[in-house]
């Protein structure tokens, strides 16, 4: 089942305990980010209030005791998009309360993580984020009857293989 609009946003509004994202791609080409990525690459300063609505979402969940965690796979040298994330996006997410972890596979083999981006909500609901090789999103797909044990194992493996963003960045 494909997810868009409010049906997709409801997962971020309504999860009860946890939301985990595995990010495997090095570049994403999201239309909503095109202008800010272009500005970043041109050397502009980050705009005042950048990502405020997303940060508010993170803060509200954190205040209610719900966790938001992300594991981002990277390989050096970082892509332009990953540099944009590291400079403009991730610091604000972390300040808002998201647990952002980095899995650097530059000098080591993949420990068994999939090549599939996904969100795992409340350890029971899986949504695949499907992308073209250039990072353009194809769709968001609610997985019917997922093998939850497999996704939990991937989450745990990613987190065991990761370092916190603040430690990686320094």
């Amino acid at each position: 089942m494909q997810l868009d609009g409010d049906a997709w946003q409801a997962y971020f509004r309504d999860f009860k305990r946890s939301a985990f994202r595995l990010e495997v791609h090095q570049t994403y080409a999201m239309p909503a980010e095109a202008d800010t990525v272009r500005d970043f690459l041109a050397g502009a300063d980050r705009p005042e209030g950048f990502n405020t609505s997303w940060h508010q979402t993170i803060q509200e969940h954190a205040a209610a005791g719900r966790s938001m965690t992300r594991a981002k796979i990277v390989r050096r040298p970082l892509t332009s998009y990953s540099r944009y994330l590291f400079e403009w996006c991730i610091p604000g997410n972390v300040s808002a309360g998201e647990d952002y972890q980095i899995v650097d596979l530059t000098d080591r083999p993949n420990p068994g993580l999939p090549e599939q981006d996904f969100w795992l909500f409340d350890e029971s609901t899986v949504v695949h984020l499907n992308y073209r090789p250039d990072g353009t999103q194809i769709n968001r797909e609610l997985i019917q009857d997922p093998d939850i044990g497999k996704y939990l194992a991937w989450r745990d493996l990613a987190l065991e293989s990761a370092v916190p963003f603040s430690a990686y960045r320094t």
Side-chain angles (χ1 to χ4, degrees):
M1 178 173 143
Q2 311 255 326
L3 297 172
D4 282 309
D6 192 59
W8 170 234
Q9 292 305 313
Y11 286 92
F12 293 99
R13 263 194 327 268
D14 301 339
F15 74 88
K16 304 297 182 211
R17 294 176 309 285
S18 64
F20 170 81
R21 164 89 186 266
L22 179 65
E23 289 185 352
V24 303
H25 295 280
Q26 302 306 292
T27 297
Y28 296 92
M30 305 300 291
E33 294 178 331
D35 290 342
T36 57
V37 171
R38 183 196 67 236
D39 291 348
F40 168 78
L41 294 174
D45 290 333
R46 184 176 54 215
E48 185 70 33
F50 179 74
N51 270 353
T52 299
S53 63
W54 179 244
H55 297 156
Q56 184 177 356
T57 297
I58 295 169
Q59 290 167 341
E60 289 169 0
H61 286 302
R66 295 182 291 269
S67 67
M68 294 184 77
T69 305
R70 199 178 308 225
K72 166 93 177 122
I73 294 175
V74 299
R75 291 175 184 85
R76 287 172 293 174
L78 296 177
T79 63
S80 296
Y81 184 84
S82 289
R83 288 187 296 109
Y84 161 75
L85 287 179
F86 277 48
E87 294 298 321
W88 278 24
C89 301
I90 299 172
N93 292 5
V94 170
S95 292
E98 184 174 18
D99 179 10
Y100 215 109
Q101 302 284 317
I102 303 298
V103 181
D104 190 332
L105 297 182
T106 303
D107 298 322
R108 62 181 169 149
N110 185 326
L113 296 169
E115 294 294 321
Q116 174 67 56
D117 279 57
F118 66 87
W119 278 98
L120 174 63
F121 297 98
D122 292 327
E123 299 185 340
S124 63
T125 301
V126 175
V127 176
H128 282 186
L129 302 148
N130 299 310
Y131 296 91
R132 292 183 180 89
D134 71 353
T136 304
Q137 190 172 75
I138 300 167
N139 60 31
R140 296 174 209 91
E141 177 186 8
L142 177 64
I143 303 303
Q144 303 293 327
D145 300 316
D147 178 351
I148 291 298
K150 177 174 67 173
Y151 290 93
L152 293 172
W154 283 334
R155 178 204 59 196
D156 294 348
L157 180 59
L159 296 176
E160 290 166 8
S161 303
V163 298
F165 173 73
S166 59
Y168 182 82
R169 191 168 186 210
T170 59

